[in-house]
Amino acid sequence: MPEKKVIAVVGATGAQGGGLVRAILNDPDGGFTARVLTRDVNGAKAKEFSRLGAEVVAADIDDPESLKKAFAGAYGVYCVTFFWAHFSPEREMAEAKSMAEAAKAAGVQHVIWSTLEDTRNWVPLSDNRMPTLQGKYKVPHLDAKGASDHFFTDAGCPTTFLRTSFYWDNFIHFGMGPQKMPDGTLAITLPMDDKKLPGIAAEDIGKCAYGIFKKGAEFIGKTVAISGENLTGAQLAAIFTEVLGKDIHYNSVPPDVYRSFDFPGADDLGNMFQFKRDFEDYYSGARNPSFARSLNPSLQDFKTWLTQNKNAIPLE
Ligand SMILES: NC(=O)c1ccc[n+]([C@@H]2O[C@H](COP(=O)([O-])OP(=O)(O)OC[C@H]3O[C@@H](n4cnc5c(N)ncnc54)[C@H](OP(=O)(O)O)[C@@H]3O)[C@@H](O)[C@H]2O)c1
């Protein structure tokens, strides 16, 4: 039996990395084993992964030495950053640089970097259609990821740049689900006009990443983008109505209104949705669900995901 290839997974106790660890564990004959990176090796999720056969090691992406140790001996690494834990693009870029350098030092053969577009390549800071945020970004949590791609190339890491999409899980965890309107009806609110929002079940990101590791060389040096289905607000609302058995409307608001909402990051998300709206041809065009399905044959569409998760959607 050839020795199994170790995939070291950053964010393994979270959404993207967790999906990848489960994909590896669910395919015991696939030739890979999972190394779970966590700041808390005694946490419940880490212990559960250990029980299921994963190796668990301590690492913090803000501690470069811990990354070097955690990546040592790995064939592949999955790298992701956690913008919403700190709201700092500079910190995200420093973390990406540390991961790239640690992967190079460890001689890793395949890195997947979970990235997104640097929107300033489409909307320069001088473009006033949306405000500039934190002094030098249009969509800080996208721009910082895209602006970090070069760290992996500069370090000489054999990298696949994996551009992800909006998680449908945001309808459960991020307060984006149907809400009661002043007239008593239920609606989902997005500043997308009649444009499509590419979305994906967060679990499917890790499954697609596993597909990329399995295919290996053909994806090194490539930028790929994934989604489970690209739907307009009206189409999302129609599927909510059908699956939840309640009338749910699409409340389309201007991006300015979305940016003014009273939650942290509303300006960043308002700009993000506006980017996806204004550049629909590019953004949705780059995310073809049939490509994601070629990596992950069990890729869910929105109706399948919602049917599985309908009881978790918080309804007022
Ligand atoms: N929400 C969306 O729609 C969406 C869509 C596309 C991309 N994204 C991006 O996805 C990224 C987050 O990924 P996710 O959703 O998979 O995260 P998540 O579910 O929030 O996972 C966070 C996990 O990462 C670990 N973590 C946090 N800080 C860490 C650190 N300093 N060092 C090591 N591990 C750390 C934590 O593990 P331990 O506590 O075990 O250490 C935690 O379990 C964000 O940057 C976001 O912009 C989100």
Side-chain angles (χ1 to χ4, degrees), residues 52-75:
L52 293 171
E55 179 190 0
V56 174
V57 304
D60 186 324
I61 59 169
D62 295 312
D63 174 356
E65 287 309 311
S66 76
L67 286 171
K68 285 183 192 155
K69 280 190 206 139
F71 289 173
Y75 160 85

Side-chain angles (χ1 to χ4, degrees), residues 13-16 38-39 60-61 81-83 145 164-165 167 170:
T13 60
Q16 295 187 26
T38 172
R39 292 163 303 173
D60 186 324
I61 59 169
T81 44
F82 310 100
F83 180 84
K145 293 181 180 67
T164 61
S165 303
Y167 307 170
N170 295 329

